[in-house]
């Protein structure tokens, strides 16, 4: 081998010692459940049947459903780089084996949630590989900003992510209930099963590690949660609250159409109610650890506004 090639080798942190001994039985149990409950997005949902079922829907409705499920696919896909960075961090910080295993499972599960979502979109009006709106094309990359994650410890960052998994699970439960088509409903059910495991992982982390965080870290954790919710997830992902007026009107109408026809969506006003209720529960969950979550002015208290006001 040429010596110059050795000099160009990328320098990574020392991976040794490679930790293999399990330390947390409750986390390892989640890893075992992930194996036992694994599913295949291509195999376990009858996509041909769904395509036939929705074929008679109005074109505008199918396009609205495709836009909605494309958005879901983008969001799920955006979770994978987050997971990859956390896996790399867990390896180089020599964290326990079962934590690394759980994060690896998380990556694969988010990818199959992405696959299920784009397959639903494809059965409707056709999957959209990128947003039609210039505004959305700017917002989507903000789902994951590694600079923000690096300011927190591994366990604090994973816990923040879990709070969003909890919010997402509440919204997805409502969308599961909205789905009139059996195969959309089945896909939602399978995704929810994985999300419940992700939330449980975060609760374990909170129970085991939150008391070790300093007051400054706890304050930052709450602030990061609020910042991400306001800065990207209320901009069309979880709700359309913070979109510009024209885009809010257009996106709200498309989302309402998908909900009215039972395509596994939620009405914009309903989304706000779900998020507010979930925030109340999240604050109660983190209160014993003295983690403050700021008021989200756009959807709570006097600052709340109707997301359909632009219509």
């Amino acid at each position: 081998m040429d010596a110059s090639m050795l000099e160009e080798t990328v320098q990574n942190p020392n991976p040794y010692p490679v930790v293999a001994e399990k330390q947390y039985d409750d986390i390892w149990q989640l890893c075992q459940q992930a194996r036992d409950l694994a599913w295949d997005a291509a195999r376990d949902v009858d996509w041909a049947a769904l395509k036939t079922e929705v074929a008679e829907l109005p074109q505008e409705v199918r396009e609205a459903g495709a836009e909605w499920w494309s958005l879901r696919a983008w969001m799920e896909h955006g979770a994978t780089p987050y997971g990859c960075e956390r896996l790399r961090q867990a390896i180089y910080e020599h964290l326990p084996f079962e934590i690394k295993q759980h994060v690896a499972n998380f990556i694969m599960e988010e990818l199959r949630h992405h696959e299920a979502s784009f397959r639903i979109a494809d059965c409707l009006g056709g999957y959209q590989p990128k947003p039609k709106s210039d505004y959305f094309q700017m917002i989507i990359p903000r789902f994951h900003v590694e600079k923000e994650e690096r300011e927190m410890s591994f366990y604090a960052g994973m816990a923040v992510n879990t709070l969003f998994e909890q919010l997402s699970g509440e919204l997805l439960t409502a969308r599961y209930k909205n789905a009139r088509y059996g195969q959309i409903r089945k896909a939602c059910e399978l995704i929810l099963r994985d999300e419940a495991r992700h939330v449980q992982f975060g609760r374990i982390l909170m129970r085991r590690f939150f008391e070790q965080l300093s007051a400054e870290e706890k304050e930052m954790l709450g602030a990061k949660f609020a910042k991400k919710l306001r800065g990207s997830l209320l901009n069309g992902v979880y709700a359309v609250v913070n979109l510009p007026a024209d885009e809010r009107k257009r996106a709200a109408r498309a989302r309402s159409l998908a909900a009215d026809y039972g395509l596994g969506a939620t009405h914009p006003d309903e989304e706000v109610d779900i998020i507010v209720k979930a925030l109340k529960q999240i604050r109660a969950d983190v209160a014993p650890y003295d983690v403050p979550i700021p008021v989200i002015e756009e959807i709570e208290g006097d600052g709340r506004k109707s997301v359909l006001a632009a219509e």
Side-chain angles (χ1 to χ4, degrees):
M1 182 180 292
D2 192 306
S4 64
M5 293 182 64
L6 295 176
E7 294 170 1
E8 295 171 4
T9 302
V10 175
Q11 297 301 309
N12 285 326
N14 186 350
Y16 302 107
V18 179
V19 180
E21 182 179 355
K22 294 190 294 292
Q23 297 181 31
Y24 304 114
D25 290 339
D26 43 8
I27 296 176
W28 180 241
Q29 185 178 3
L30 296 178
C31 296
Q32 292 175 306
Q33 288 174 356
R35 292 175 179 175
D36 294 340
L37 299 175
W39 53 281
D40 185 322
R43 180 194 64 209
D44 293 337
V45 179
D46 190 340
W47 302 112
L50 176 59
K51 202 164 190 175
T52 300
E53 287 176 338
V54 301
E56 300 303 316
L57 289 174
Q59 178 70 18
E60 182 184 24
V61 173
R62 288 193 291 113
E63 288 179 358
E67 179 180 339
W68 165 245
W69 280 99
S70 294
L71 172 63
R72 286 280 311 159
W74 306 329
M75 188 181 81
E76 300 287 10
H77 191 269
T80 58
Y82 168 84
C84 292
E85 290 290 346
R86 299 290 73 74
L87 179 58
R88 183 179 188 277
Q89 186 179 2
I91 290 170
Y92 291 137
E93 290 185 10
H94 313 303
L95 298 184
F97 167 76
E98 61 272 27
I99 289 178
K100 292 180 283 190
Q101 181 67 63
H102 173 85
V103 177
N105 293 341
F106 170 87
I107 295 167
M108 294 307 301
E109 286 158 6
E110 295 297 337
L111 277 171
R112 74 181 173 212
H113 300 171
H114 164 68
E115 181 183 354
S117 299
F118 75 64
R119 284 180 179 275
I120 294 175
D122 200 49
C123 290
L124 293 166
Y127 171 66
Q128 301 169 19
K130 68 178 183 179
K132 296 177 181 178
S133 164
D134 290 342
Y135 183 80
F136 263 105
Q137 290 188 43
M138 292 186 294
I139 287 297
I140 298 301
R142 297 181 192 173
F143 290 175
H144 170 69
V145 180
E146 187 59 26
K147 178 178 178 293
E148 298 283 345
E149 301 295 337
R150 291 292 182 181
E151 294 175 357
M152 295 180 283
S153 67
F154 177 89
Y155 292 119
M158 288 297 292
V160 169
N161 182 69
T162 297
L163 299 182
F164 286 114
E165 294 277 355
Q166 189 169 332
L167 264 180
S168 180
E170 294 294 338
L171 288 163
L172 186 56
T173 298
R175 292 158 185 164
Y176 162 76
K177 293 177 180 177
N178 170 266
R180 298 176 198 165
Y181 297 90
Q183 302 309 308
I184 294 179
R185 192 177 180 89
K186 184 174 184 180
C188 289
E189 182 180 8
L190 291 169
I191 294 170
L192 274 170
R193 196 167 69 188
D194 291 343
E195 299 289 12
R197 196 162 52 251
H198 300 171
V199 171
Q200 185 60 24
F201 176 71
R203 287 176 175 162
I204 292 170
L205 295 188
M206 286 191 283
R207 187 173 67 248
R208 287 187 176 276
F209 301 109
F210 263 31
E211 290 182 356
Q212 302 174 17
L213 300 178
S214 67
E216 291 77 12
E217 286 179 302
K218 292 176 181 179
E219 184 175 357
M220 180 169 63
L221 190 155
K224 295 290 187 187
F225 173 82
K227 181 179 180 180
K228 185 173 182 178
L229 180 58
R230 299 181 70 187
S232 61
L233 300 180
L234 295 183
N235 286 326
V237 181
Y238 282 179
V240 299
V241 173
N242 285 342
L243 288 174
D246 289 347
E247 180 60 24
R248 185 172 70 208
K249 181 178 180 179
R250 189 202 66 77
R253 170 167 170 72
R255 198 163 296 189
S256 295
L257 271 176
D260 287 342
Y261 281 82
L263 299 180
T266 36
H267 284 276
D269 279 339
E270 181 187 4
E271 289 171 339
V272 173
D273 291 337
I274 293 169
I275 293 170
V276 170
K277 183 178 179 181
L279 278 172
K280 183 177 180 181
Q281 181 59 54
I282 287 171
R283 286 194 178 97
D285 291 342
V286 300
Y289 309 104
D290 297 320
V291 175
I293 295 180
V295 171
I296 311 299
E297 190 62 28
E298 297 92 323
I299 58 175
E300 298 181 298
D302 295 337
R304 179 167 179 166
K305 56 190 177 185
S306 170
V307 296
L308 297 179
E311 291 192 345

